[in-house]
Amino acid sequence: MKNWGSNLPKLITLGYTAALTRNTLLMTAFLPKTLGNESLAVDAGFALGAILLSHPFEVARVLIVCKEQNRMIGSTLSTLKSVYSAEGVAGLYKGFVPRTIHLFPLLFSLVAASYGGKNQEAFEGVRSNPILGSLKLSTSP
């Protein structure tokens, strides 16, 4: 039986830097709203751009957590460098389409509905389900 106690801090923080960077980049999707933007096209562009910028760090996080010995291990930057040297830009964006299909609708709806404004009318009758994290049509106000 392995001694998990000595490795516990490493297990808890494995991939933390990559996850923190990924989440920080995803928050850039909210930048136009904080500056007073009212355009849905700009909101969509920033939401897609945030996913595009954050995806290489999601790839690094997954590789670090899964401990893929053949392509990395170490810091986030060394993981990104080894993936780029082995597979190029395509390696940094593996799984981008499924992740975008998964994240874009949620991120865009959160950005477009946040802070009120004229876009709020487009979301009348829609409420968020905090347990499932999805949007549902509201039958009552």
Side-chain angles (χ1 to χ4, degrees), residues 18-135:
L20 187 63
T21 307
R22 175 203 63 194
N23 293 346
T24 302
L25 289 170
L26 281 174
M27 294 303 291
T28 61
F30 292 93
L31 188 60
K33 281 296 184 191
T34 60
L35 298 175
N37 175 56
E38 294 292 334
S39 169
L40 285 175
V42 172
D43 290 342
F46 267 78
L48 188 60
I51 295 171
L52 187 72
L53 288 174
S54 69
H55 191 75
F57 294 97
E58 175 66 9
V59 170
R61 184 196 66 80
V62 169
L63 291 174
I64 290 169
V65 170
C66 294
K67 293 185 178 182
E68 289 209 13
Q69 298 295 336
N70 58 344
R71 285 199 262 179
M72 61 118 287
I73 292 253
S75 70
T76 301
L77 289 178
S78 67
T79 302
L80 290 171
K81 285 178 187 176
S82 69
V83 170
Y84 181 74
S85 65
E87 301 175 34
V89 175
L92 295 175
Y93 285 94
K94 273 191 176 178
F96 177 73
V97 172
R99 184 169 178 252
T100 303
I101 290 169
H102 173 76
L103 276 181
F104 182 75
L106 176 63
L107 191 58
F108 176 65
S109 64
L110 287 173
V111 169
S114 64
Y115 305 110
K118 71 177 184 181
N119 295 337
Q120 193 65 31
E121 298 163 2
F123 293 94
E124 283 299 317
V126 177
R127 62 183 168 83
S128 177
N129 182 335
I131 296 172
L132 300 176
S134 61
L135 295 173

